[in-house]
């Protein structure tokens, strides 16, 4: 399909792997942060909101450099993790970390809007029937906000598939290890005769990203219809 070379297939497979791990790793923290921002009023709430959305306004290269300073082998977090054999810098796991950070704001925003749209009266009714707060969240809040949560996960996945600046700054562009689709396209545009491969990978990126956006839009419409009929 599309006539991809073995090296190009490696880049596609690595991108899917990195994006999937980044999305799954962000899911629980994303729900927790979205719930805090949607349901709790606490000191420092505005600061937390700003920190969550900071990667959206910072240049991706700056985000990647900050990750390198913190999670590099000589960074305060990276040096400590290295003692346990956990290394992020110049590894595919680092690419997943960078993608997770860049996609986190999109995920949290979609989840937050979905949680805010849940009718609080339904939660109160469940509480009056004897359900504890955790049970209310798992049986009422989470199911009602599930389409928005899935939409946020899809958006984060699409962002991870297209992430370039933070990834290449943090983990470089190592074929077979950290060379994702955007990095492979960049490399192919820099070598003679690489236009064909760059075009093929660009088409793959468009197909994956468009599919993710369409899925996100379908889930958002489901939320709107559900709220409209409630």
């Amino acid at each position: 399909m599309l006539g991809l070379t073995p090296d190009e297939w490696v880049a596609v497979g690595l991108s899917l792997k990195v994006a999937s791990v980044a999305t799954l790793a962000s899911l629980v923290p994303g729900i927790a942060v979205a719930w805090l921002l949607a349901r709790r009023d606490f000191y420092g709430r505005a600061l937390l909101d700003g920190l969550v959305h900071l990667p959206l306004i910072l240049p991706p290269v700056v985000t990647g450099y900050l990750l390198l300073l913190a999670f590099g082998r000589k960074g305060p977090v990276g040096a400590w993790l290295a003692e346990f054999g956990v290394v992020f810098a110049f590894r595919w796991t680092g690419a997943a970390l960078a993608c997770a950070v860049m996609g986190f704001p999109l995920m949290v925003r979609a989840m937050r809007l979905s949680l805010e749209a849940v009718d609080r009266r339904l939660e109160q009714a469940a509480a009056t029937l004897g359900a504890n707060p955790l049970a209310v969240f798992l049986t009422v809040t989470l199911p009602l906000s599930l389409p928005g949560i899935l939409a946020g996960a899809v958006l984060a996945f699409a962002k991870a598939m297209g992430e370039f600046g933070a990834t290449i700054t943090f983990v470089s562009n190592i074929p077979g290890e950290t060379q994702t689709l955007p990095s492979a396209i960049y490399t192919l545009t820099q070598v003679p005769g690489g236009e064909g491969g760059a075009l093929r990978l660009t088409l793959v990126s468009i197909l994956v990203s468009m599919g993710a956006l369409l899925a996100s839009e379908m889930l958002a419409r489901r939320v709107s219809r559900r709220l409209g009929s409630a």
Side-chain angles (χ1 to χ4, degrees), residues 163-183:
E163 174 51 38
F164 175 70
T167 302
I168 200 170
T169 304
F170 183 34
V171 296
S172 189
N173 184 13
I174 306 172
E177 180 66 33
T178 65
Q179 189 179 76
T180 56
L181 265 175
S183 301

Side-chain angles (χ1 to χ4, degrees), residues 204-215:
V204 172
S205 295
I206 292 173
L207 289 174
V208 173
S209 299
M210 184 59 68
L213 290 174
L214 289 175

Side-chain angles (χ1 to χ4, degrees), residues 43-55:
Y43 183 78
R45 181 173 177 270
L47 178 60
L48 176 61
D49 192 25
L51 289 174
V52 167
H53 290 88
L54 192 60

Side-chain angles (χ1 to χ4, degrees), residues 27 48 54 109 121 142:
L27 202 54
L48 176 61
L54 192 60
R109 183 169 180 80
R121 293 172 298 181
L142 190 61

Side-chain angles (χ1 to χ4, degrees), residues 1-15 179-181 184 188 194 196-201 204:
M1 185 179 64
L2 298 177
L4 298 180
T5 67
D7 289 340
E8 291 166 0
W9 275 116
V10 170
V12 172
L14 182 61
S15 290
Q179 189 179 76
T180 56
L181 265 175
L188 289 169
L199 180 59
R200 289 192 295 270
L201 292 181
V204 172

Side-chain angles (χ1 to χ4, degrees), residues 86-210:
V86 179
V87 179
F88 286 105
F90 309 110
R91 301 281 180 86
W92 75 267
T93 50
L97 175 61
C99 290
V101 171
M102 295 301 295
F104 196 69
L106 298 175
M107 175 183 285
V108 170
R109 183 169 180 80
M111 292 178 176
R112 178 182 177 180
L113 292 174
S114 184
L115 287 167
E116 289 176 341
V118 173
D119 191 343
R120 301 291 294 272
R121 293 172 298 181
L122 298 175
E123 297 174 330
Q124 294 169 358
T128 58
L129 293 175
N132 59 52
L134 180 59
V136 171
F137 177 79
L138 293 177
T139 60
V140 178
T141 310
L142 190 61
L144 290 175
S145 59
L146 187 58
I149 291 173
L150 294 176
V154 170
L155 287 175
F157 179 84
K159 176 63 177 176
M161 286 293 295
E163 174 51 38
F164 175 70
T167 302
I168 200 170
T169 304
F170 183 34
V171 296
S172 189
N173 184 13
I174 306 172
E177 180 66 33
T178 65
Q179 189 179 76
T180 56
L181 265 175
S183 301
I185 293 171
Y186 173 78
T187 299
L188 289 169
T189 60
Q190 305 302 307
V191 298
E195 294 83 1
L199 180 59
R200 289 192 295 270
L201 292 181
T202 298
L203 291 174
V204 172
S205 295
I206 292 173
L207 289 174
V208 173
S209 299
M210 184 59 68

